[in-house]
């Protein structure tokens, strides 16, 4: 379904931009069926991993993107994660 694919990409964008309030607002608008698709569950899982500091899991997620279109956002997100680790 192209709709959930676009919604998932938007969630990835919000993660990269660190706009977590809008990320969570968007999640509230999703149905259970939408949230269970790989396109949506992938950014949800990433956000949870980022919140608990599981950076190694975020780094490994690049090889498990639900669609190649997610790679652009993953590259940006991984750079942010690397910068955060370097700042520690």
């Amino acid at each position: 379904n192209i709709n959930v694919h676009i919604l998932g990409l938007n969630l990835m964008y919000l993660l990269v931009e660190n706009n977590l309030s809008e990320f969570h607002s968007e999640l509230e608008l999703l149905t259970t069926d939408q949230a269970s698709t790989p396109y949506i569950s992938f950014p949800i899982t990433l956000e949870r991993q980022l919140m608990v500091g599981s950076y190694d899991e975020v780094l490994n997620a690049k090889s498990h993107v639900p669609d190649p279109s997610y790679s652009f956002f993953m590259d940006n997100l991984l750079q942010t994660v690397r910068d955060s680790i370097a700042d520690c």
Side-chain angles (χ1 to χ4, degrees), residues 11-54:
L11 290 173
M12 291 295 293
Y13 169 75
L14 294 172
L15 271 184
V16 169
E17 293 296 312
N18 201 28
N19 190 345
L20 298 181
S21 61
E22 191 166 335
F23 180 91
H24 288 281
S25 295
E26 289 291 322
L27 290 183
E28 292 175 14
L29 301 174
L30 297 172
T31 66
T32 306
D33 287 342
Q34 288 173 322
S36 65
T37 67
Y39 297 117
I40 304 293
S41 63
F42 183 78
I44 291 172
T45 301
L46 280 178
E47 189 267 345
R48 289 182 184 146
Q49 292 167 340
L50 288 167
M51 291 303 104
V52 297
S54 297

Side-chain angles (χ1 to χ4, degrees), residues 42-77:
F42 183 78
I44 291 172
T45 301
L46 280 178
E47 189 267 345
R48 289 182 184 146
Q49 292 167 340
L50 288 167
M51 291 303 104
V52 297
S54 297
Y55 297 128
D56 57 331
E57 291 180 38
V58 175
L59 293 170
N60 291 334
K62 182 166 174 53
S63 60
H64 300 87
V65 292
D67 186 83
S69 59
Y70 283 61
S71 294
F72 170 79
F73 294 106
M74 279 304 297
D75 290 342
N76 287 291
L77 190 60

